[in-house]
């Protein structure tokens, strides 16, 4: 048995559907579920050897779990929702690309940018706002990570596709009420 605990927010709009799988056996009846079972067996067997709770491991697990459990039955399949999920998963996997935008993501998925905007509008969001929020979240997490204290703010931000230090400083202060330096200090003291 493998038990995975992730913050609910990492599961996005699928949190309710996925939480319905809590404490239930899940068959490996699809290729995606077989892949996730194989993927999870490694950490499950070596959990004692892993360092403290690792946010990076949680990030790596969230995407496959959403893919495996978000649409568990054909009658729940909503093609627009499925496409939107794939779009957001692609964007999450490519946050480091500073050219990530609606046009490149739409082209990658064979749709127009207008259709992409329509899909995300149904969820009350825009791709640009979602990407910005994800980047800020990852940058803040990395800034607070004592294991990354030797990295500069610019290096951490660049890792997540942000290359404008002035805008980053403003965005962190607006979103979290702290500067990069304050976030780093809180990570070292906490």
């Amino acid at each position: 048995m493998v038990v995975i605990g992730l913050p609910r927010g990492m599961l996005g709009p699928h949190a309710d559907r996925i939480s319905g799988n809590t404490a239930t056996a899940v068959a490996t009846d699809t290729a995606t579920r077989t892949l996730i079972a194989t993927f999870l067996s490694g950490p499950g067997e070596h959990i004692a050897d892993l360092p403290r709770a690792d946010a990076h491991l949680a990030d790596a697990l969230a995407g496959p779990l959403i893919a495996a459990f978000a649409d568990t039955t054909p009658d729940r399949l909503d093609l627009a929702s499925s496409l939107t999920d794939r779009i957001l998963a692609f964007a999450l996997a490519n946050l480091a690309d500073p050219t990530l935008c609606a046009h490149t993501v739409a082209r990658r998925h064979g749709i127009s940018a207008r259709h992409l905007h329509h899909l995300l509008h149904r969820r009350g969001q825009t791709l640009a706002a979602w990407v910005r929020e994800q980047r800020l979240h990852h940058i803040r997490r990395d800034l607070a990570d004592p294991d990354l204290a030797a990295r500069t703010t610019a290096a951490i931000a660049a890792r997540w596709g942000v290359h404008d230090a002035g805008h980053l400083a403003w965005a962190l202060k607006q979103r979290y009420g702290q500067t990069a330096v304050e976030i780093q200090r809180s990570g070292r003291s906490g």
Side-chain angles (χ1 to χ4, degrees):
M1 175 180 359
V2 176
V3 177
I4 303 291
L6 293 174
R8 207 172 161 76
M10 292 184 82
L11 302 175
H14 307 291
D16 290 334
R17 275 188 270 164
I18 293 171
S19 67
N21 289 312
T22 301
T24 59
V26 179
T28 55
D29 56 348
T30 66
T32 303
R33 288 185 178 184
T34 300
L35 180 64
I36 193 76
T38 303
F39 178 70
L40 292 177
S41 66
E45 292 171 9
H46 303 287
I47 197 75
D49 301 331
L50 294 173
R52 62 178 167 73
D54 190 336
H56 302 291
L57 182 57
D59 284 343
L61 291 173
L65 287 172
I66 290 169
F69 300 115
D71 292 311
T72 57
T73 61
D75 60 309
R76 287 206 261 192
L77 184 61
D78 172 357
L79 294 178
S81 180
S82 177
L83 177 57
T84 306
D85 294 339
R86 288 194 315 271
I87 287 167
L88 294 177
F90 174 82
L92 187 60
N94 290 280
L95 285 177
D97 180 357
T99 65
L100 185 67
C101 68
H103 293 287
T104 59
V105 174
R107 191 175 321 116
R108 170 67 170 80
H109 289 85
I111 61 174
S112 69
R114 182 177 176 178
H115 185 59
L116 181 142
H117 290 302
H118 173 74
L119 291 170
L120 291 171
H121 179 74
R122 289 176 52 182
R123 291 200 181 165
Q125 59 193 154
T126 66
L127 183 66
W130 186 87
V131 166
R132 182 175 39 256
E133 180 65 25
Q134 291 300 312
R135 284 178 170 160
L136 287 175
H137 165 77
H138 286 86
I139 290 168
R140 180 176 184 249
R141 184 203 57 211
D142 287 358
L143 286 170
D145 187 340
D147 293 337
L148 301 176
R151 292 194 183 166
T152 66
T153 299
I156 288 172
R159 176 178 182 219
W160 296 108
V162 176
H163 297 282
D164 182 348
H167 179 73
L168 175 64
W170 177 86
L172 288 171
K173 188 70 169 177
Q174 285 294 116
R175 176 66 178 92
Y176 299 110
Q178 293 180 301
T179 65
V181 171
E182 291 168 337
I183 294 169
Q184 287 173 318
R185 281 188 197 132
S186 69
R188 284 184 228 144
S189 64

